[in-house]
Structures are given as structure tokens and as C-alpha cells.
């Protein structure tokens, strides 16, 4: 029986015209291209959505493989898809392509270009750090359920269009106080995972204080053995310390997420734990009683004794040897038990020791009084909008990281009803944490001298991971936007934050549902 040609052509056409497995047109994407925290520089929505399917591959050159691994780890649990990482995707295969190359000097080392098409997500950057930043954005463009830890049956769409993005400030930090309460390496790693989503790139660890010493130092072994013993946290809980192996593992874990660790040993004040372990570090040679209360400003190294400087140099040397990052933080705050003249003597001898071991000195803004601080970074934690001593040091070359305690201290309560946290700097709701500019906060410090911003989380009232998360989120997201984005719009931020809530729910993050935000879901 002859089949009319027209009938044959009608049969043949669909087989030849359609590309392989053209996906049915996906439902409207669950997110919009601009709903990203921190806000990207340029967002141009348009074109068809990309749909992640079990056939999707991740294409990455060998040099971008570690970032591709991070992406695969992020997408596999909730999708259950294999998402193989390949050097070259087969033709007509839905692909997420990661590649470094010259994508424009204005993007710098952390910027990226993200293009979303029907069958391809194209992520380009000058370096892997930029690709990693782009991956964090891509994660937020997928439905919130992508952060679930077990497979969900749903469409995984990414809205079509283009994003070009790069940071305002080079230093976008978080700080975790390990001394008042010791948080385990796994808790620190979880915090690293969570802050890396907001393109934070420094994690400052406060490793010693009056209550406890939290890092192994071989040349002074009793520091960790005694200062890190059980019962050395506030209220006698939260003892412990990081071995060098654990510290190095954290440095690597953070680096794999493009976060640099900044260790801090606070001196010449906040040293009671060191003096309990080594009484020779006091002026009278008598060990002070261990302290588990939350007073500050009562301890000081003995500025006139040479053993003090052997101790300081040994600690700096060992910290520098296990810290690839550029900064060593030597504290310098609340040295009420050190005379002003002794403080200057101490900083004059100690600040140059940091440089001797190849690092840039970093300290709380009180160090600005010392002439040697002109090559250092000062972390401003004051409540005021000017600081003459810091401004004078800046004129000599000091650079500044902004951590105003009344705006960026995540250990401050949200409001009087907040069950944990402190309130000496005032209540900090989400909008308070968002509505300021790190570049102009200090009227006598020019924006050009500001390296960036950091959100400290002191741990006097923290006991577990849920406490860290409750105080850190959502305000860390606000500070992270101040560090990364040039745009600043509270209504836009509060809307994007409301849409972010389901992601913290999907991750099991114990965030604070501020009444200032319309939380989705
Ligand atoms: N100030 C102290 C911290 C901590 C903090 C709690 C600085 C630089 C109050 N110093 O902040 O040790 O106790 O909010």
C-alpha cells in the first residue's frame, strides 16, 4: 500500500526539526533573576528559563574543578540528579558551564558573568573565586527547595537573563568568638558554609581571652592544656581548644569556599587565661584565679618583663606558620589594666613582630594610638561617627575594617525580648544592621581607607549552633550586602530577605523571623 508523500513528510518533520528532547516549556520560574543577596551589580532578565534535569551536566575545565565540585555538592542532594562534572559537554546536552578567562578587569578577582539560556547556564569569571561567587548566586536563582538535604520531585528552573556582578569592598568578614564559648570544628564549618552563601570572604576567629585559650601553641603547651580545659568557658561551660591539625583543616575548608581565616590573640588585655597557665606572664608571678564571668578590662600582660615579648613572639610565629592568609589580629581592645604609656610601649614592640613573620598586623581600633599601626589594619568597633585617633592613623596609612558595635555586633539583642545576646551597644534589628554605609560611617575616615566590613559574634551568651544561627541570621546577610553591593535599598533588601527565609528553613537554619520582614512561606 503506497503511503502518500505528504503523510511521510508529516511523520518525518517532528523527528528532524526538534532538537534533542526539547523540554516542555517550564512553568514560570519560582524565583526572579534579581532576588539575590547580596544584590548583584547588573541584572538583565529575559529569555526562556533554564531547567535543571537529570540529564544536565556540569562542564568545567580541570582548573575550575574544585568550584564545580562545590556546585555539584550543592545541587545533588535536593535534585537526586547525577550532575556529572565533564571537561566538555556532549552536544545538545543541558549544561551548566563554568570557565575562567579574561571577562573584564572591572570584575576583578571575585566578579562573574552569569548567562541563563534555555539549554545552558554560562558562568564566567577571571578566577575561581569569581566562579564560586557566581555559584552562590546560581543557587539562589533555583527554587528554595534546592537547599533541602533529601530529593524533592519538582521542576528546577532558573529564570532566563544575564547578571554581571562584582564586590564593592575587598574585605567582607564575619567573626566568631571561640574564647567565651568554644564552638567545635564542625560548628565552625557549618558557619563557614552558611556565611559563604552571602559571598563573605574572611572569617576572624577570636582564639583567646580572659576565660579561655583555644589554639594549640607548641612552645607554650599549657596555654591550650590549661586555658582550653573543660570548664573554661563563660559560666564554666564551653571549654575545649583547636589542635593545630584542626585549625589547618578549618583553614583548608574555608579556603575551598574562598574564605580566608584571620586568627586573633587579644593582647595586652584579655589575657587572664594565659596568665592562669603561665604565672610568669604576670608582673608578680602569681597566677590569677581562672575567670568564667563576663567582666572585661581587668587583665594585662606585664609590659616591663622580657618574657612577655618571648611569649608574644612565639605565639605570633606559630600562628603565622599555620595561617596562609595575610592578617594576624593581635587584639588591643579594652586594655584598662595597662597604662597608656605601657600600651604604646607594648604595641611599639609587638606590631612589627607581625610583619617579621610575613603578615599584616590587624587589631581593634585602639591600636591606632601607636605609630607602628600606620602599616596595620584597625577594626573600628566604636559607637560614634568619628574617631580622631583613628583618623590621624589613617592619614599615616592605617586601613580600616568597619564593625560598629551598635550596627554590626551580631551578639547584640534584636530587641528587649531577645532571649540571648547582650545589649550594651543597643538593640540591633535587621534594618539597623542594614541602614548604614561602611564607607561613610566615620565622618573623618575617607571611604578610600575602608577595606570593608565585618560582623563580630561574641559568644558570652552562646551555647550551641542554634544560638549562633539565631543571632547571626538574618543580620549577617544585611552586613554581607553592605560589603558586596554598591546599591543600598531597604525595601528591595527586605523583599529579597523575605524570599530567602524558605532557604534557611530548607537548610534547617534557626534564623530569627524579624517582624520587620514579610517572610515567604
Ligand atoms: N567588647 C569586647 C568583647 C566582647 C564584646 C561583647 C570588643 C572589641 C564587648 N571587645 O568588642 O570582648 O566582650 O559585645
Amino acid at each position: 500500500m503506497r503511503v502518500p508523500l505528504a503523510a511521510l513528510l508529516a511523520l518525518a518533520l517532528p523527528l528532524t526539526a526538534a532538537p534533542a528532547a526539547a523540554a516542555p516549556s517550564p512553568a514560570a520560574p519560582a524565583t526572579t533573576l534579581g532576588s539575590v543577596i547580596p544584590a548583584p551589580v547588573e541584572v538583565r532578565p529575559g529569555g526562556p528559563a533554564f531547567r535543571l534535569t537529570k540529564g544536565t551536566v556540569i562542564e568545567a575545565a580541570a582548573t575550575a574543578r574544585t568550584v564545580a565540585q562545590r556546585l555539584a555538592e550543592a545541587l545533588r542532594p535536593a535534585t537526586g540528579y547525577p550532575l556529572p562534572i565533564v571537561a566538555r559537554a556532549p552536544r545538545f546536552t543541558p549544561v551548566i558551564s563554568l570557565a575562567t578567562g579574561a571577562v573584564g578587569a572591572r570584575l576583578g578577582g571575585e566578579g562573574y558573568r552569569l548567562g541563563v539560556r534555555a539549554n545552558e547556564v554560562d558562568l564566567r569569571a577571571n578566577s575561581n573565586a569569581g566562579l564560586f561567587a557566581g555559584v552562590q548566586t546560581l543557587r539562589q536563582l533555583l527554587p528554595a527547595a534546592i537547599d533541602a538535604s533529601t530529593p524533592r520531585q519538582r521542576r528546577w528552573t532558573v529564570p532566563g537573563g544575564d547578571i554581571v556582578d562584582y564586590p564593592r569592598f575587598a574585605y567582607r568578614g564575619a567573626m566568631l568568638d571561640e574564647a567565651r564559648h568554644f564552638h567545635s570544628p564542625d560548628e565552625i564549618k557549618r558557619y563557614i558554609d552558611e556565611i559563604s552563601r552571602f559571598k563573605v570572604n574572611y572569617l576572624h576567629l577570636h582564639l583567646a581571652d580572659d576565660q579561655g585559650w583555644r589554639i594549640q601553641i607548641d612552645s607554650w603547651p599549657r596555654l591550650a592544656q590549661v586555658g582550653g580545659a573543660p570548664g573554661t568557658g563563660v559560666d564554666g561551660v564551653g571549654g575545649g581548644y583547636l589542635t593545630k591539625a584542626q585549625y589547618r583543616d578549618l583553614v583548608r575548608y574555608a579556603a575551598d569556599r574562598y574564605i580566608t581565616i584571620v586568627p586573633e590573640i587579644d593582647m595586652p588585655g584579655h589575657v587572664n587565661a594565659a596568665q592562669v597557665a603561665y604565672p610568669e606572664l604576670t608582673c608578680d608571678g602569681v597566677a590569677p584565679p581562672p575567670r568564667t564571668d563576663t567582666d572585661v578590662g581587668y587583665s594585662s600582660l606585664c609590659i616591663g618583663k622580657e618574657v612577655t615579648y618571648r611569649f608574644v613572639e612565639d605565639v605570633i610565629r606559630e600562628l603565622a606558620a599555620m595561617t596562609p592568609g595575610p592578617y594576624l589580629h593581635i587584639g588591643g581592645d579594652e586594655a584598662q589594666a595597662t597604662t597608656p604609656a605601657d600600651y604604646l610601649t607594648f604595641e611599639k614592640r609587638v606590631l612589627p613582630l607581625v610583619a617579621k613573620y610575613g603578615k599584616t598586623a590587624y587589631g581593634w581600633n585602639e591600636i591606632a594610638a601607636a605609630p607602628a599601626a600606620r602599616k596595620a589594619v584597625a577594626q573600628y568597633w566604636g559607637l560614634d561617627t568619628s574617631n580622631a585617633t583613628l583618623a590621624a592613623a589613617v592619614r599615616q596609612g592605617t586601613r580600616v575594617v568597619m564593625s560598629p558595635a551598635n550596627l554590626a555586633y551580631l551578639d547584640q539583642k534584636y530587641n528587649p525580648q531577645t532571649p540571648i545576646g547582650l545589649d550594651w551597644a543597643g538593640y540591633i534589628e535587621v534594618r539597623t544592621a542594614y541602614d548604614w554605609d561602611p564607607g561613610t560611617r566615620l565622618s573623618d575616615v575617607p571611604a578610600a581607607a575602608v577595606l570593608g566590613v565585618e560582623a563580630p559574634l561574641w559568644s558570652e551568651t552562646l551555647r550551641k549552633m542554634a544560638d549562633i544561627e539565631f543571632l547571626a541570621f538574618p543580620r549577617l546577610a544585611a552586613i554581607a550586602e553592605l560589603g558586596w553591593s554598591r546599591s543600598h535599598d531597604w525595601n528591595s533588601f527586605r523583599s529579597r530577605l523575605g524570599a530567602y527565609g524558605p532557604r534557611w528553613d530548607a537548610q534547617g537554619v534557626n534564623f530569627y523571623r524579624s517582624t520587620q520582614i514579610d517572610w515567604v512561606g
Side-chain angles (χ1 to χ4, degrees):
M1 186 257 288
R2 279 176 51 79
V3 178
L5 179 60
L8 274 179
L9 278 177
L11 265 180
L13 194 57
L15 298 181
T16 52
S25 63
T31 61
T32 61
L33 201 61
S35 188
V36 176
I37 299 174
V41 174
E42 294 170 22
V43 176
R44 293 192 294 276
F50 173 81
R51 189 172 161 212
L52 192 62
T53 65
K54 62 179 177 299
T56 302
V57 301
I58 298 173
E59 181 184 79
T63 52
R65 192 165 184 81
T66 53
V67 182
Q69 285 289 4
R70 295 287 87 73
L71 175 61
E73 286 162 10
L75 304 186
R76 283 173 181 155
T79 61
Y81 297 161
L83 298 171
I85 299 169
V86 299
R88 170 75 57 217
R91 282 167 62 78
F92 306 123
T93 306
V95 60
I96 300 175
S97 171
L98 280 63
T100 52
V103 293
R106 75 177 170 126
L107 272 60
E110 297 181 278
Y112 61 89
R113 294 176 184 280
L114 183 67
V116 181
R117 316 282 174 254
N119 268 324
E120 175 175 24
V121 171
D122 191 51
L123 178 54
R124 293 282 179 279
N126 289 319
S127 73
N128 281 344
L131 289 181
F132 184 79
V135 162
Q136 304 320 310
T137 294
L138 178 57
R139 296 172 78 177
Q140 292 188 34
L141 296 178
L142 282 155
I146 195 67
D147 288 324
S149 50
T150 55
R152 299 283 187 278
Q153 297 307 318
R154 61 157 297 142
R155 283 179 181 282
W156 300 107
T157 52
V158 180
D162 291 278
I163 289 179
V164 178
D165 201 9
Y166 47 91
R168 175 185 180 190
F169 290 110
Y171 190 104
R172 306 177 307 277
M175 186 209 86
L176 197 51
D177 174 5
E178 282 289 301
R180 276 50 175 272
H181 190 278
F182 179 69
H183 311 295
S184 69
D186 283 347
E187 289 174 323
I188 299 171
K189 287 180 178 178
R190 178 169 166 94
Y191 197 51
I192 288 170
D193 287 340
E194 291 166 359
I195 63 177
S196 68
R197 289 168 177 269
F198 299 104
K199 304 185 177 75
V200 166
N201 63 351
Y202 283 94
L203 176 61
H204 167 181
L205 294 176
H206 185 78
L207 293 169
D209 213 299
D210 289 319
Q211 296 84 356
W213 185 282
R214 306 295 180 213
I215 180 69
Q216 174 190 344
I217 298 292
D218 295 330
S219 50
W220 298 72
R222 289 172 53 81
L223 290 171
Q225 289 162 358
V226 175
T232 54
V234 166
D235 300 334
V237 300
Y241 66 90
L242 296 173
T243 65
K244 286 196 166 184
Q246 288 171 323
Y247 180 84
R248 286 196 184 93
D249 179 54
L250 284 171
V251 164
R252 182 198 51 71
Y253 190 88
D256 282 351
R257 288 146 187 86
Y258 297 89
I259 290 178
T260 299
I261 295 291
V262 177
E264 177 191 352
I265 300 296
D266 203 343
M267 300 176 282
H270 289 272
V271 293
N272 194 72
Q275 293 175 320
V276 168
Y278 289 100
E280 62 265 46
L281 294 176
T282 66
C283 284
D284 61 9
V286 176
R291 296 285 294 263
T292 57
D293 60 293
T294 58
D295 286 355
V296 296
Y298 56 83
S299 62
S300 173
L301 291 173
C302 188
I303 305 307
K305 285 172 81 170
E306 276 312 304
V307 65
T308 294
Y309 302 96
R310 184 163 58 78
F311 161 75
V312 170
E313 179 156 2
D314 286 345
V315 169
I316 288 174
R317 175 174 42 75
E318 291 196 37
L319 269 186
M322 57 180 149
T323 300
Y327 299 119
L328 283 194
H329 200 301
I330 55 168
D333 63 307
E334 296 178 321
Q336 281 90 322
T338 312
T339 67
D342 278 354
Y343 184 87
L344 292 177
T345 301
F346 179 80
E347 295 301 343
K348 183 175 181 180
R349 285 192 66 171
V350 167
L351 284 165
L353 286 179
V354 178
K356 176 178 177 182
Y357 290 96
K359 302 300 177 184
T360 296
Y362 189 178
W364 300 103
N365 61 265
E366 289 91 328
I367 66 166
R374 66 181 179 287
K375 294 194 173 72
V377 175
Q379 181 167 9
Y380 180 72
W381 63 288
L383 311 182
D384 305 318
T385 54
S386 67
N387 184 299
T389 305
L390 180 56
V394 162
R395 287 192 290 274
Q396 300 302 318
T398 301
R399 289 293 164 263
V400 179
V401 167
M402 291 299 294
S403 299
N406 48 356
L407 303 169
Y409 267 31
L410 304 180
D411 63 311
Q412 300 303 300
K413 291 174 182 288
Y414 293 96
N415 55 54
Q417 288 71 44
T418 307
I420 56 175
L422 303 175
D423 59 9
W424 67 269
Y427 299 116
I428 302 180
E429 254 291 359
V430 180
R431 180 160 194 172
T432 307
Y434 185 78
D435 259 356
W436 62 285
D437 180 345
T440 58
R441 172 65 183 174
L442 289 173
S443 58
D444 48 6
V445 169
V450 177
L451 294 180
V453 66
E454 180 178 293
L457 178 54
W458 299 100
S459 59
E460 283 91 340
T461 66
L462 306 185
R463 294 294 176 268
K464 54 189 185 299
M465 192 72 212
D467 295 340
I468 292 176
E469 293 175 349
F470 184 75
L471 288 177
F473 304 108
R475 291 176 296 187
L476 188 278
I479 304 296
E481 176 141 325
L482 295 181
W484 178 278
S485 307
R486 284 166 173 71
S487 60
H488 184 276
D489 178 332
W490 166 249
N491 286 319
S492 163
F493 178 74
R494 71 182 293 274
S495 164
R496 285 176 284 122
L497 190 60
Y500 196 91
R503 296 181 190 279
W504 278 320
D505 282 330
Q507 300 157 44
V509 168
N510 178 47
F511 71 102
Y512 164 67
R513 291 176 181 277
S514 168
T515 53
Q516 294 181 336
I517 308 299
D518 298 328
W519 297 104
V520 166

